[in-house]
Amino acid sequence: MEAFDDDLSNFAAHGATPLPAAGDQGHVSHDGARIWYATYGSGPPVILLHGGLGHSGNWGYQLPMLVGSGRSVVLIDSRGHGRSTRDSRPFSYELMASDVLTVMNVLHIKTAPLVGWSDGACTALVLAMQSPARVGGVFFFGCNMDPSGVKEFQPTPVIDRCFSRHAMDYAQLSATPDQFSAFAEAVGLMMKTQPNYSARDLAEIKVPVVIVQSEHDEFIKAEHAEYLSRSIPGAELILIPGVSHFAPLQRPPQFNGVMQAFLDKVGALQER
């Protein structure tokens, strides 16, 4: 597959392709924050959870494909990210998982598969642990479930371009546009100290899970992805070649194909 935006120069300059007009959008008040959501399309629902420091617009290359395949898509800006607000408490994946569940309740979504990217993947798996009856499956891309899974940070031009785009988007979307530095520091603290789930915790997961790892992920160790796939009952491990932590932006058709296959598999299981 030919490279789409491997060095993220297009993303840095323009962001992902703009989201279309939403069928419904708004804010849900929950536990000291206002959580932004938007819905698109019709059919079986799927919820997309973006990565740390980003926002739902980062799914611009995935949304049209999912709507076109006959699904309704729910986008959620994580607490403090994008159009969502936060209070003064530290970030936690458990708190963000409870935000997702609240949005599901407001939208009357009984159950749905969750597609998570980076921090969104951890949030999705935490929700699957807490409320398995509400989660049809978890597409877990590019994240860890304990601190041992994280590589030592090495800055790169690709990471710098992504960070720069996140800063610009935050200034445009956030209710506190001048507080990106404090926001990034708070999210960074969460990433350094959380999550902290053991193999015993992972063994209790009861929903379909696919662990998706990019060949050149800048943040997550390949052996940690392998460990997750061994520790979660029935989990499948998929490696996406040639891309990094930013695969949904770098080579969307390649990423989308893996995501579509998982959602089709989960849908078939639910129809039985």
Side-chain angles (χ1 to χ4, degrees):
M1 176 102 36
E2 293 185 0
F4 178 84
D5 189 22
D6 281 0
D7 66 0
L8 293 192
S9 58
N10 183 71
F11 179 68
H14 308 290
T17 191
L19 298 175
D24 178 37
Q25 65 176 312
H27 287 85
V28 173
S29 295
H30 178 246
D31 208 355
R34 298 180 70 243
I35 308 301
W36 180 88
Y37 71 89
T39 65
Y40 304 83
S42 60
V46 56
I47 298 171
L48 306 187
L49 303 176
H50 62 79
L53 304 184
H55 62 96
S56 292
N58 299 155
W59 292 113
Y61 299 118
Q62 285 67 52
L63 179 63
M65 182 274 290
L66 291 171
V67 171
S69 69
R71 292 181 170 88
S72 61
V73 180
V74 180
L75 301 183
I76 299 173
D77 280 353
S78 295
R79 174 176 293 251
H81 295 65
R83 305 160 189 83
S84 294
T85 67
R86 67 182 178 111
D87 57 15
S88 60
R89 283 176 296 173
F91 282 100
S92 79
Y93 296 107
E94 291 75 17
L95 188 54
M96 291 195 290
S98 71
D99 293 334
V100 175
L101 186 59
T102 299
V103 173
M104 292 178 70
N105 290 340
V106 168
L107 296 179
H108 305 290
I109 297 173
K110 183 178 179 181
T111 184
L114 308 177
V115 173
W117 174 6
S118 195
D119 276 4
C122 184
T123 299
L125 204 54
V126 169
L127 183 55
M129 294 180 188
Q130 295 175 339
S131 303
R134 306 297 299 276
V135 178
V138 174
F139 184 95
F140 185 96
F141 172 67
C143 203
N144 60 301
M145 289 304 289
D146 70 69
S148 73
V150 181
K151 294 179 178 179
E152 181 178 353
F153 178 72
Q154 298 288 340
T156 70
V158 169
I159 293 173
D160 289 346
R161 291 185 189 106
C162 185
F163 188 84
S164 174
R165 183 76 248 170
H166 287 338
M168 287 188 284
D169 289 348
Y170 184 90
Q172 181 180 10
L173 298 174
S174 177
T176 55
D178 59 345
Q179 296 181 22
F180 181 77
S181 293
F183 159 70
E185 182 177 352
V187 173
L189 177 62
M190 176 181 68
M191 292 176 176
K192 292 174 184 175
T193 58
Q194 304 174 42
N196 288 285
Y197 288 92
S198 68
R200 180 174 295 182
D201 297 324
L202 298 174
E204 296 300 316
I205 295 173
K206 296 178 173 62
V207 307
V209 176
V210 61
I211 305 298
V212 184
Q213 177 78 1
S214 57
E215 182 180 9
H216 305 300
D217 195 295
E218 295 90 343
F219 304 109
I220 306 301
K221 298 175 182 176
E223 56 265 31
H224 186 73
E226 295 168 359
Y227 154 76
L228 293 178
S229 68
R230 293 193 308 268
S231 301
I232 298 171
E236 180 184 4
L237 175 64
I238 296 177
L239 177 71
I240 304 182
V243 291
S244 80
H245 193 76
F246 309 103
L249 301 166
Q250 292 170 321
R251 304 186 190 183
Q254 193 171 353
F255 180 88
N256 292 358
V258 176
M259 179 177 61
Q260 180 77 61
F262 172 73
L263 293 174
D264 287 346
K265 180 179 179 179
V266 169
L269 290 173
Q270 292 176 335
E271 290 175 0
R272 289 181 182 176

